[in-house]
Amino acid sequence: MEAKKDILWRVYLVYLLMSIFALFILFRIVKIQFIQGSEWREKAQKLTTTYFNIEASRGNVFSNDGSLLATSVPIYEIRMDVCAGPITSKLFAKNVDSLALCLSNLFQDKSQKEYKRILVRARKQKERYLFLQKGVSYSEVKTLRTFPLFRMGKYKGGLMCVQTNRREMPFRELAARTLGYQREGIKPVGIEGSYNNYLKGVSGKRLMQKISGNNWAPVHKEDDIEAMDGSDIYSTIDVNIQDVAHSALLTQLRKQQADHGCAALMEVSTGQIRAIVNLKKVDSTNYVESYNYVIGESTDPGSTFKLASLIAAMEDGYTDLDEMVDTEDGDVVFYDHHIRDSHEGGYGKITLQEVFEKSSNVGVAKVIFKYYQKNPQKFIDRLYKMGLNTPLNLDITGEGLPYIKNTKDKTWSPVTLPVMSTGYESRLTPLQILTFYNAVANDGKMVKPMFVKEIRRRGELVKSFPTTVINPSICSKETIRKAKIMLEGVVERGTATNLRTADYKIAAKTGTAQIYNKAYGYKYQGKVSYQASLVGYFPAANPKYTCIVVVNAPTQKVYYGNDVAGPVFREIADKVYATSTEIHKELQNDTSRTLKTPLAKAANKTDLEIATKKLAIAQKGNSGNAEWVATS
């Protein structure tokens, strides 16, 4: 009896515990389902669904005349929900062969049989995000929407097109480095990088659900946020001039087998860059735009700096164009340093204007040393006042820093003054030199180089960029007048006579500089490497454009600025002049060559009578029965 009670007590205890446990489970179910249900459902939703960014279509970059320089081309990844609700088993079986054939014909990568096998297998496995193709164009997407099943409509036929954008440059290499790029994890370059905030637009949001295979498929909701496309950039570049500049520079670089070269054309009054080319040698015939030398390469300017030196001396009242300068035999020693002219034997005694026209190193060095040796800082201050030591603060990144040595610099030496006056022991980029010469052409007003003139979104103006004046007057009007005379003389009688043309006048300065390298100085393996340059403006009487051409390390034993850079400058200038009618001289009426045209000439009598009658020209005389008559 005691044993039976003991067993029953144990059974009741177990039953009680199980009942309590069952009640606890029931309580938890009720709590989770009804009390905490919304919270857990929300957590589950977060684990399996999330919002993905929809990439906005990047804005376009246009040239000055509206030509497309850079654009985003949409490309698509094609997937299919083979188990979409409207696709019944019967409908799928009826259309799978036709769909497989259409896919095979469009993409040309698999047979109809292979595509059918993929589709049927996916249907059996209930795949909701079947991958079909990537890199599909928009025109191909339009074709896809006409295929069996897919033509049932958006979402109904299972077609899924996931869009991404690919950046394309229709003109390929033209101004490629200046147009630049914006890539994740890489330093932004050019217009694309500097104006990325305008170009990139605003990303949208799309709800995606995690499905089998760790894939994400779109959940088609009304609350998806559409992406806002980026704004369009209108650059200052002229495609036609850019094409000529690119071709001319490339031809000359190949001819001279130079390491690299660059060219730029600027509109005088506005500072707008109409063309900019940067080419680097990759082999004997191929050059690519891999670095923006125009804005980034800061080097010894060479003889193009002599204009700044002589402007400083004239502005300070020390010298004038008719001052006589003894260039001796073309070799002069300053302390322990020789400065030589390229012309063997020198030029003897010549005027300051001839010193500039012949690009005499000795003449310029002697003039600057004569007037500034006791106070060289005054020379430096004058250069600083002209803005030569100040960065241009360009709108695009990568500007090389200018360097005009100060007398307080640790490397200043007794020979620095004469050496600097001829374009050494200082550094400027081609664009900084161009900007200085442009100021001379612009009657002393220095303007900031511009690469972008306005930003638009769907045709509406977002922002415009007016001309920025860096320095309202680099020197007096009288000194500018003299500087222009010197520059015109270089082309008429000096080192750039190969630029002389009967149609219009060019004012320019040649430059030839030895290239300095920190590793080996001015000589490498016993050889000197040169940089040939030419900078100037045209038409000289009423300057419209300023141009610079720089060719670095030509290897064909020709390295002077007029021979190497001159042909490129001339070709660019001729093209611009030929296509810019506003800079042509007006045609004058020549009354001395007026010709009196007769009303009629000898002709068939019948034809002549009909013509004169139609034109209301009176007839006199009697020709009788003649078939052909003469008139007077």
Side-chain angles (χ1 to χ4, degrees):
M1 191 68 179
E2 289 295 328
K4 183 179 179 181
K5 286 182 179 181
D6 186 53
I7 292 171
L8 287 173
W9 177 83
R10 291 175 185 272
V11 171
Y12 292 149
L13 180 61
V14 170
Y15 180 76
L16 178 63
L17 291 174
M18 290 181 66
S19 298
I20 293 171
F21 184 67
L23 289 171
F24 174 76
I25 292 174
L26 182 62
F27 171 75
R28 291 295 296 169
I29 290 172
V30 172
K31 183 179 180 181
I32 291 172
Q33 184 68 29
F34 298 103
I35 300 174
Q36 298 177 337
S38 58
E39 179 185 347
W40 287 108
R41 278 191 290 272
E42 186 180 345
K43 287 184 178 180
Q45 188 79 357
K46 286 182 179 179
L47 289 172
T48 58
T49 61
T50 187
Y51 277 97
F52 278 59
N53 282 337
I54 303 174
E55 183 182 1
S57 183
R58 193 169 177 82
N60 299 320
V61 180
F62 293 96
S63 69
N64 181 58
D65 61 355
S67 299
L68 195 58
L69 296 177
T71 187
S72 289
V73 178
I75 55 173
Y76 299 86
E77 182 179 274
I78 305 302
R79 292 180 178 268
M80 182 182 181
D81 180 0
V82 292
C83 298
I87 304 177
T88 63
S89 297
K90 184 177 179 180
L91 189 63
F92 180 81
K94 182 180 178 181
N95 289 278
V96 67
D97 283 302
S98 300
L99 178 58
L101 178 61
C102 290
L103 291 171
S104 178
N105 290 339
L106 178 63
F107 297 130
Q108 299 285 316
D109 62 336
K110 297 181 184 72
S111 66
Q112 178 193 10
K113 185 178 180 180
E114 178 67 13
Y115 266 114
K116 181 179 178 180
R117 187 184 65 79
I118 293 171
L119 293 169
V120 170
R121 184 191 63 192
R123 177 78 178 182
K124 287 180 180 178
Q125 296 176 354
K126 298 183 179 180
E127 284 196 45
R128 307 302 302 268
Y129 204 50
L130 172 65
F131 172 78
L132 292 176
Q133 194 64 254
K134 65 179 179 180
V136 177
S137 68
Y138 178 68
S139 62
E140 289 173 325
V141 168
K142 288 176 70 177
T143 303
L144 278 165
R145 287 172 179 159
T146 66
F147 287 180
L149 295 181
F150 294 163
R151 58 172 169 250
M152 293 169 63
K154 194 175 183 182
Y155 309 139
K156 295 179 182 179
L159 178 64
M160 297 180 181
C161 304
V162 182
Q163 179 183 333
T164 56
N165 295 314
R166 181 176 63 209
R167 205 65 171 162
E168 292 284 352
M169 296 171 62
F171 291 96
R172 303 298 179 190
E173 281 289 302
L174 289 189
R177 195 67 187 182
T178 302
L179 292 174
Y181 50 78
Q182 170 68 34
R183 297 171 189 162
E184 192 172 343
I186 300 176
K187 186 177 179 181
V189 171
I191 292 173
E192 291 270 9
S194 298
Y195 291 89
N196 181 55
N197 287 338
Y198 291 100
L199 286 164
K200 69 180 181 180
V202 180
S203 297
K205 297 287 184 182
R206 175 180 291 152
L207 187 63
M208 303 283 281
Q209 185 175 30
K210 196 171 187 179
I211 60 176
S212 61
N214 204 30
N215 289 316
W216 292 84
V219 177
H220 307 300
K221 292 264 187 176
E222 295 295 328
D223 56 352
D224 283 357
I225 302 171
E226 291 294 326
M228 184 183 294
D229 293 345
S231 300
D232 297 326
I233 303 293
Y234 285 80
S235 75
T236 61
I237 294 170
D238 185 304
V239 171
N240 294 319
I241 300 173
Q242 180 72 33
D243 188 30
V244 171
H246 185 101
S247 176
L249 181 63
L250 179 60
T251 299
Q252 189 67 349
L253 291 177
R254 285 172 174 168
K255 180 180 178 181
Q256 302 298 336
Q257 284 296 291
D259 180 74
H260 64 269
C262 61
L265 182 79
M266 177 192 287
E267 192 173 72
V268 170
S269 60
T270 64
Q272 293 186 8
I273 300 297
R274 292 286 179 241
I276 178 168
V277 190
N278 301 276
L279 295 173
K280 168 69 176 176
K281 185 178 182 180
V282 291
D283 56 46
S284 59
T285 57
N286 293 311
Y287 287 78
V288 298
E289 287 231 354
S290 59
Y291 180 75
N292 201 326
Y293 296 103
V294 171
I295 71 170
E297 186 173 49
S298 187
T299 62
D300 292 318
S303 295
T304 56
F305 193 78
K306 291 173 182 173
L307 179 65
S309 297
L310 295 187
I311 284 179
M314 289 189 294
E315 185 68 6
D316 283 335
Y318 288 135
T319 187
D320 213 332
L321 298 180
D322 57 0
E323 178 181 349
M324 298 303 297
V325 183
D326 187 3
T327 63
E328 303 177 32
D329 61 354
D331 187 348
V332 65
V333 180
F334 291 92
Y335 302 99
D336 60 344
H337 182 79
H338 284 264
I339 290 182
R340 298 181 177 89
D341 282 335
S342 59
H343 180 68
E344 191 173 342
Y347 302 103
K349 290 185 178 181
I350 55 177
T351 64
L352 183 71
Q353 182 171 337
E354 290 175 310
V355 165
F356 188 78
E357 292 173 358
K358 298 178 186 298
S359 197
S360 170
N361 295 324
V362 171
V364 173
K366 287 186 72 172
V367 167
I368 299 303
F369 188 75
K370 174 183 177 181
Y371 295 119
Y372 292 102
Q373 62 176 316
K374 293 182 179 178
N375 186 10
Q377 187 60 42
K378 186 175 182 180
F379 176 68
I380 303 302
D381 291 342
R382 176 59 65 184
L383 297 178
Y384 285 4
K385 193 172 182 180
M386 289 190 283
L388 286 168
N389 66 314
T390 307
L392 299 172
N393 295 318
L394 303 173
D395 295 331
I396 60 178
T397 59
E399 181 183 7
L401 294 177
Y403 172 64
I404 305 296
K405 188 180 290 189
N406 193 292
T407 54
K408 297 176 181 178
D409 195 295
K410 292 180 180 179
T411 60
W412 185 274
S413 73
V415 301
T416 295
L417 181 62
V419 167
M420 181 187 288
S421 69
T422 61
Y424 291 96
E425 293 197 29
S426 54
R427 289 191 298 275
L428 292 170
T429 67
L431 190 57
Q432 288 158 0
I433 298 168
L434 179 67
T435 302
F436 175 73
Y437 274 75
N438 193 78
V440 174
N442 203 21
D443 294 327
K445 183 192 291 185
M446 183 180 285
V447 295
K448 180 180 176 179
M450 292 175 58
F451 296 91
V452 171
K453 61 179 184 178
E454 61 186 27
I455 300 172
R456 291 182 175 270
R457 187 172 184 277
R458 294 180 180 175
E460 296 293 325
L461 183 65
V462 174
K463 188 176 183 180
S464 62
F465 298 89
T467 298
T468 302
V469 178
I470 299 173
N471 189 338
S473 181
I474 62 170
C475 61
S476 67
K477 298 293 183 183
E478 179 60 18
T479 301
I480 289 292
R481 184 186 70 82
K482 294 172 184 177
K484 289 183 174 182
I485 292 173
M486 291 194 301
L487 287 167
E488 290 181 41
V490 172
V491 177
E492 293 300 312
R493 299 171 296 276
T495 57
T497 53
N498 58 326
L499 297 185
R500 197 163 52 200
T501 170
D503 297 321
Y504 62 100
K505 280 191 173 184
I506 296 173
K509 180 69 184 80
T510 58
T512 307
Q514 295 181 21
I515 299 172
Y516 178 81
N517 187 288
K518 289 183 179 180
Y520 53 81
Y522 287 104
K523 283 190 176 183
Y524 178 64
Q525 295 181 348
K527 296 180 180 179
V528 176
S529 189
Y530 291 92
Q531 174 179 283
S533 59
L534 196 146
V535 57
Y537 54 83
F538 60 92
N542 185 23
K544 180 70 174 176
Y545 294 102
T546 312
C547 182
I548 189 169
V549 178
V550 181
V551 177
N552 199 288
T555 60
Q556 300 302 303
K557 298 181 180 179
V558 179
Y559 50 82
Y560 289 113
N562 62 322
D563 294 323
V564 178
V568 182
F569 186 106
R570 176 66 184 271
E571 190 169 342
I572 296 171
D574 283 350
K575 169 66 176 180
V576 173
Y577 184 80
T579 56
S580 303
T581 55
E582 73 276 6
I583 63 177
H584 292 183
K585 293 180 181 178
E586 290 187 13
L587 294 175
Q588 303 295 323
N589 290 326
D590 187 357
T591 56
S592 65
R593 298 185 63 188
T594 302
L595 299 176
K596 188 174 181 180
T597 306
L599 291 175
K601 301 181 77 173
N604 179 278
K605 181 182 177 182
T606 304
D607 292 342
L608 187 61
E609 286 176 344
I610 294 171
T612 53
K613 186 177 180 180
K614 288 284 186 182
L615 296 170
I617 299 174
Q619 299 179 38
K620 287 183 180 181
N622 184 10
S623 57
N625 295 323
E627 184 179 357
W628 295 87
V629 296
T631 65
S632 62

